[in-house]
Amino acid sequence: MRPLPLSLSWVAGVLLSSEDMARPSMEIPDGYCPKDPILVRPSSPTPRHTIYLSNLDDQPFLRFSIKYVYVYRRSVAAEALAASLGKALVEYYPLAGRLVRSPEGGREKLVVNCNAQGAVFAEAHSILTADEFLRGAARPNRSWRKLLYEPTDEERSFIDVPPLLVQVTYLSCGGMILCTAISHCLCDAIGTANFLHAWALLTAKPSAAVPVAAVHDRRLLKPREPPRIEFPHPEFSSQTQECYSIFQLLLSQPLTPVSITFTAAQILHLKKQCVPSLKCTSFEALAWHVWRAWVKALDPPPALRVKLLFSVNVRRRLRPELPGGYFGNAFVMACAETFAAELSGSSARGGIMLVQAAKEGVRDGQVRSVVDLLEERWTRPDLSASLVISPWTKLGLEEVDFGEGRPLHMGPMTSEIYCLFLPVVGDLHAFTLLVSVPQGIAERFHHCCLIQQPDENYINREM
């Protein structure tokens, strides 16, 4: 078996004590592959053409794959999964194509060659059980890379890796671990959720119709001629006058993943600190709270301007709106910023208002301005003093059912310096955050994230 690197997996519902954290993490045993990986092609003819990638798709910081890991109590036969994947790829046919460099443009512009070459599908078997994985998944280790097929030596560059990799690992208990890697250049989290639900539905009900028709035309987000940058874009503007970089600090130190689950009661307590003068969403309240905790734990210079960058879905913010089944990247990064000292001492109301103002600023004109900016400057978000949050909640990712029940576990395969807000399996109103921080501040970050309320310990942790 040729694995891809795997640095962290998240398990919903596992509550750990300090004693649990002291235990060594479980090594996933070697599995075996009964056959070579195959290429699954669309089961019916699909359009053969080249798909333009918008400037939101073709950003340099999106040149990676979104990797998911799912654990199920009961398994589905590999033949059935491969057959239904072929059906799903008829609707989502760009995932069966290949990324190629465009001959047009002065920079390394990518397009999708829809050649129906196929998605990689691998099958493995392990003596591991689902319960063993759930018990031992609190502390990640490199052995987990065995759960996803690794491309060949000829496929090492991002462009050469097929847009969709799948591996199903059958467990000794009768369950399975299903891992996918989906090229972020092709779609965002909403697109991946639509694809996974379509694939799962076609597995459970082979004669069913795909619930959401995919729209692959990215020209809806083409830049204007000539480009017009009509708004400031602090999400891309680097703080060149600052000599202190949180980003460089993070890169220079050993990092450790931190996972904290916030219950619905905690989040409600956080939101109540603003009423009646201010109403807010759970995301807005938790984003401010985690941003402040992150800055307080890192303790940068008080006069440093710190930023919160978070992804905002623009499908309904554009005029005209994008179609519901739009399969490309349709998000921009909203940016809240203030001085480190002001954020550390901010009230819930003041901090949440910063988040709300950043989100409310994402409108049609601002999005078009981002697209035009990326046409003129192929740039990356400013990470020098920024916490990046990507919300994966409210997408139904934890409900993907291939016909044998919903997953016991859903989460990303790695922990990074950007923060994920993840759904909690079985609890619609709870959130789990996952982020990597320097080992020396992990305990302080956890303490800063505590939401104090009488008589209860509201934070459960995995680190």
Side-chain angles (χ1 to χ4, degrees), residues 1-6 37 120 122 142 145-153 155-156 161-162 165-167:
M1 190 190 324
R2 295 189 295 263
L4 281 178
L6 175 64
V120 174
R142 290 178 61 83
R145 63 185 183 175
K146 302 169 186 177
L147 297 174
L148 187 59
Y149 167 80
E150 182 176 273
T152 63
D153 291 339
E155 300 169 333
R156 286 297 182 181
V161 174
L165 304 174
V166 175
Q167 179 172 312

Side-chain angles (χ1 to χ4, degrees), residues 8-28:
L8 183 132
S9 181
W10 164 77
V11 180
V14 179
L15 310 181
L16 300 181
S17 66
S18 298
E19 291 76 13
D20 292 321
M21 292 174 56
R23 296 171 185 165
S25 59
M26 180 194 66
E27 289 287 319
I28 291 180

Side-chain angles (χ1 to χ4, degrees), residues 33-341:
C33 295
K35 59 188 75 171
D36 290 335
I38 62 173
L39 286 174
V40 176
R41 297 179 171 85
S43 60
S44 300
T46 55
R48 300 296 181 95
H49 61 142
T50 297
I51 289 183
Y52 163 85
L53 291 180
S54 80
N55 288 346
L56 297 186
D57 295 317
D58 197 26
Q59 298 183 70
F61 85 105
L62 294 186
R63 294 195 171 185
F64 68 94
S65 294
I66 305 173
K67 300 185 179 94
Y68 296 114
V69 55
Y70 283 89
V71 179
Y72 292 92
R73 179 69 68 189
R74 294 184 294 275
S75 63
V76 178
E79 294 76 14
L81 289 171
S84 59
L85 179 59
K87 293 180 180 179
L89 289 175
V90 174
E91 186 72 26
Y92 293 90
Y93 63 88
L95 291 175
R98 293 295 182 268
L99 288 168
V100 296
R101 294 177 177 86
S102 171
E104 303 176 6
R107 59 177 174 84
E108 196 180 78
K109 180 74 175 175
L110 299 182
V111 296
V112 184
N113 178 13
C114 298
N115 56 10
Q117 190 170 337
V120 174
F121 183 93
E123 176 187 346
H125 294 258
S126 173
I127 62 172
L128 188 69
T129 69
D131 289 333
E132 287 170 343
F133 182 88
L134 295 176
R135 287 195 301 268
R139 294 185 61 83
N141 59 71
R142 290 178 61 83
S143 73
W144 295 351
R145 63 185 183 175
K146 302 169 186 177
L147 297 174
L148 187 59
Y149 167 80
E150 182 176 273
T152 63
D153 291 339
E154 293 75 25
E155 300 169 333
R156 286 297 182 181
S157 76
F158 169 75
I159 295 176
D160 295 328
V161 174
L164 175 60
L165 304 174
V166 175
Q167 179 172 312
V168 56
T169 300
Y170 291 101
L171 307 176
S172 62
C173 62
M176 68 177 182
I177 299 176
L178 183 67
C179 295
T180 62
I182 303 172
S183 173
H184 207 332
C185 278
L186 267 66
C187 59
D188 54 19
I190 292 176
T192 63
N194 287 342
F195 162 71
L196 290 170
H197 276 285
W199 179 22
L201 177 64
L202 291 170
T203 307
K205 300 178 180 179
S207 61
V210 172
V212 179
V215 176
H216 300 298
D217 187 358
R218 318 299 174 90
R219 293 174 298 177
L220 299 168
L221 286 173
K222 290 203 73 170
R224 295 169 292 192
E225 295 184 2
R228 303 195 303 274
I229 304 171
E230 300 171 323
F231 293 83
H233 294 287
E235 67 272 27
F236 294 110
S237 303
S238 62
Q239 304 181 57
T240 54
Q241 74 279 11
E242 300 287 356
C243 61
Y244 185 92
S245 171
I246 293 177
F247 181 65
Q248 292 301 323
L249 173 68
L250 295 175
L251 294 181
S252 68
Q253 298 190 23
L255 302 176
T256 188
V258 176
S259 178
I260 302 174
T261 296
F262 295 89
T263 66
Q266 289 178 288
I267 297 171
L268 179 61
H269 175 72
L270 206 58
K271 293 166 69 174
K272 282 183 176 180
Q273 296 180 35
C274 300
V275 296
S277 59
L278 181 70
K279 293 183 178 180
C280 65
T281 66
S282 296
F283 171 81
E284 292 163 355
L286 202 55
W288 159 75
H289 180 71
V290 172
W291 181 30
R292 185 180 66 162
W294 184 77
V295 169
K296 290 175 72 173
L298 288 166
D299 194 25
L304 181 71
R305 289 194 68 81
V306 292
K307 298 180 181 180
L308 172 68
L309 307 182
F310 57 96
S311 56
V312 176
N313 175 21
V314 303
R315 285 166 173 79
R316 294 187 177 180
R317 292 173 181 260
L318 293 169
R319 296 295 177 267
E321 296 182 0
L322 293 178
Y326 185 79
F327 188 61
N329 286 281
F331 74 92
V332 297
M333 304 301 290
C335 177
E337 60 179 325
T338 187
F339 294 105

